[in-house]
Amino acid sequence: MKLPDRNGYFGPFGGMFVPETLWTPLKEIEKGFREVMRLSSFRRELTDYLENYAGRPTPLFEAKRFSKAIRGPRVFLKREDLLHTGAHKINNTLGQCLLAKYLGKPRIIAETGAGQHGVGTAAAAALLGLKCDVYMGTEDIRRQALNVYRMKLLGARVIGVDSGSKTLKDSINEAMRDWVSNVKDTFYCIGSVVGPHPYPEIVRTFQSVIGKETKIQMKRQLGRLPSAVVACVGGGSNAIGLFHPFYADPSVRIVGVEAGGEGLLSKRHAATLSGGSVGVLHGARTYLLQDEDGQVMETHSISAGLDYPAVGPEHSFYKWSGRARYVAASDQDTLKGFKLLSETEGIIPALESAHAIGYMARHARTFKKEDVVVIGLSGRGDKDVNEVRRVLGEETSHA
């Protein structure tokens, strides 16, 4: 089965649920994407930037002390945190900004939650000489002040969004409004495998380098495939990048870890696949958090990057087909994972990645000792240190 199909569907999920004004630009992007991916010159240029600018391939590191601490399987980390700008986002922003240049679009717009996609877009735009505007919720601006400053240093304009929950969902709304008005000279660089066709396919294509490298590195280091691949899931770009190359390998379990927040029963979470239902948001049919009237619900996560009420349609298909299992890690488990990996391996993970670390720490006994598990370490945690200190400080003062 080809995923997505010619109409942009992953089984019953995906598609193009957009205003008529965006239909033609989306078709133009799809046509341009297919053309450039056939060009050896485009592929060579992108590969050169990934290797010599971003820093690929990233290492596959065995976390021996972490594995010993959790008394579970052998755990390996796919170190996307070591990339230029500090996260996997640069894989996609280099690809999309290069595509924009081929399409003759001088202006890039983007949305960002944790700021890593904004920083990655600002860096790629600066590298390629493109103007860059980034939409960001004011609550996320408060949580990720360091990344806001980094975007400005890279020459981008950061536009605060003060509507709704003032987080990622609202930033996407504003970015789409901008794009509708300025499609002639503007390319919308979407940060995850969400949105209307062809964006989920485009982002997956640029992020699949994560899983392709992992396969090669696992066979080189251990002569086998992993027993399981595990990654955090918000919109799901890091996870699809790791998961997709293993889709046709049934011996490899696929586990996505969502933001469980204060618990699935609390309604203060962002676990779309674990606690949501099927609907349409931001141009695609997928799982989302909505009330009985179909209104999108507010979300909560300690991690700005996972604070989103929907998920990429390919993840919805993986859940629907049973190919992947989606679970949730609470804020508390995430904080424990954040600290445990820092103390055992000297690696401070992004709070997004710490969801997968925290899940593995709590559920290590559900794996066999001889299992080999690869966790996608999507980004580094420098950006989150102040937020973690604030949260832990508040907890201490309440104790």
Side-chain angles (χ1 to χ4, degrees):
M1 180 190 298
K2 184 179 182 301
L3 295 173
D5 65 19
R6 59 184 301 179
N7 296 314
Y9 279 89
F10 301 85
F13 305 103
M16 292 172 62
F17 295 83
V18 294
E20 192 175 344
T21 50
L22 286 182
W23 187 269
T24 299
L26 286 167
K27 286 295 182 183
E28 178 192 9
I29 290 174
E30 181 182 14
K31 181 172 179 287
F33 171 66
R34 303 215 184 284
E35 285 177 357
V36 298
M37 292 306 292
R38 285 194 291 269
L39 293 175
S40 57
S41 58
F42 179 89
R43 296 196 304 273
R44 274 199 308 272
E45 190 172 4
L46 178 58
T47 299
D48 181 63
Y49 283 134
L50 289 173
E51 292 179 357
N52 299 312
Y53 181 76
R56 303 212 71 89
T58 58
L60 182 67
F61 171 72
E62 182 170 7
K64 294 180 180 177
R65 295 194 69 240
F66 174 77
S67 301
K68 184 178 180 182
I70 64 175
R71 300 178 184 177
R74 294 176 69 180
V75 174
F76 287 70
L77 304 174
K78 182 56 176 167
R79 298 289 309 274
E80 297 298 290
D81 59 312
L82 294 179
L83 285 170
H84 175 51
T85 70
H88 71 292
K89 296 292 188 182
I90 194 73
N91 304 322
N92 172 51
T93 60
L94 283 170
Q96 286 201 49
C97 287
L98 201 56
L99 172 60
K101 194 166 183 178
Y102 270 74
L103 292 174
K105 307 287 185 181
R107 177 177 179 248
I108 302 292
I109 60 170
E111 86 299 321
T112 193
Q116 289 303 118
H117 175 59
V119 172
T121 305
L127 175 71
L128 298 172
L130 302 168
K131 182 181 177 185
C132 181
D133 290 331
V134 180
Y135 287 90
M136 189 171 190
T138 52
E139 169 61 12
D140 291 337
I141 286 176
R142 180 195 66 76
R143 291 192 284 188
Q144 300 294 340
L146 177 62
N147 274 341
V148 173
Y149 188 62
R150 294 171 73 200
M151 282 182 261
K152 291 179 178 177
L153 282 176
L154 293 164
R157 182 171 62 133
V158 179
I159 304 170
V161 177
D162 211 25
S163 58
S165 59
K166 307 171 186 176
T167 57
L168 184 58
K169 167 178 69 71
D170 312 292
S171 303
I172 294 177
N173 290 340
E174 291 303 316
M176 283 195 162
R177 288 191 187 100
D178 182 322
W179 196 36
V180 168
S181 304
N182 300 287
V183 291
K184 189 174 181 181
D185 69 345
T186 298
F187 185 96
Y188 182 11
C189 182
I190 289 185
S192 193
V193 283
V194 300
H197 178 69
Y199 276 107
E201 181 184 358
I202 290 174
V203 179
R204 181 192 74 191
T205 298
F206 292 139
Q207 292 292 4
S208 289
V209 66
I210 302 171
K212 289 176 181 174
E213 281 180 10
T214 301
K215 263 190 163 180
I216 294 169
Q217 291 166 323
M218 279 299 301
K219 288 181 178 177
R220 186 181 299 149
Q221 292 183 33
L222 297 183
R224 54 166 289 187
L225 293 177
S227 312
V229 288
V230 180
C232 62
V233 177
S237 65
N238 160 67
I240 280 295
L242 178 61
F243 295 170
H244 180 72
F246 291 99
Y247 177 82
D249 296 302
S251 66
V252 180
R253 283 179 283 165
I254 296 176
V255 181
V257 185
E258 300 188 290
E262 296 176 6
L264 297 183
L265 298 178
S266 72
K267 295 188 177 179
R268 290 210 11 108
H269 63 82
T272 307
L273 290 160
S274 302
S277 55
V278 177
V280 173
L281 184 66
H282 294 144
R285 178 182 290 129
T286 188
Y287 274 85
L288 64 142
L289 296 174
Q290 56 188 331
D291 63 22
E292 56 274 13
D293 297 320
Q295 298 299 306
V296 177
M297 296 169 62
E298 298 293 326
T299 55
H300 162 79
S301 171
I302 193 172
S303 163
L306 302 186
D307 207 347
Y308 181 62
V311 67
E314 188 164 356
H315 285 291
S316 293
F317 174 76
Y318 283 17
K319 171 188 168 72
W320 176 78
S321 64
R323 180 62 187 94
R325 187 163 69 95
Y326 292 89
V327 297
S330 69
D331 288 348
Q332 289 302 313
D333 284 343
T334 299
L335 286 169
K336 289 176 183 174
F338 185 90
K339 293 178 65 177
L340 183 58
L341 192 69
S342 301
E343 292 168 356
T344 55
E345 300 291 352
I347 298 171
I348 301 174
L351 277 174
E352 290 82 1
S353 311
H355 282 74
I357 301 293
Y359 167 80
M360 181 56 62
R362 178 176 282 278
H363 297 281
R365 304 293 178 86
T366 63
F367 293 85
K368 298 174 183 175
K369 282 280 187 184
E370 59 270 26
D371 279 345
V372 174
V373 177
V374 174
I375 298 178
L377 203 64
S378 60
R380 66 182 185 226
D382 310 40
K383 65 184 178 57
D384 296 314
V385 169
N386 283 336
E387 181 68 5
V388 170
R389 186 169 58 181
R390 185 186 71 82
V391 172
L392 293 179
E394 284 184 358
E395 288 184 344
T396 301
S397 66
H398 292 163

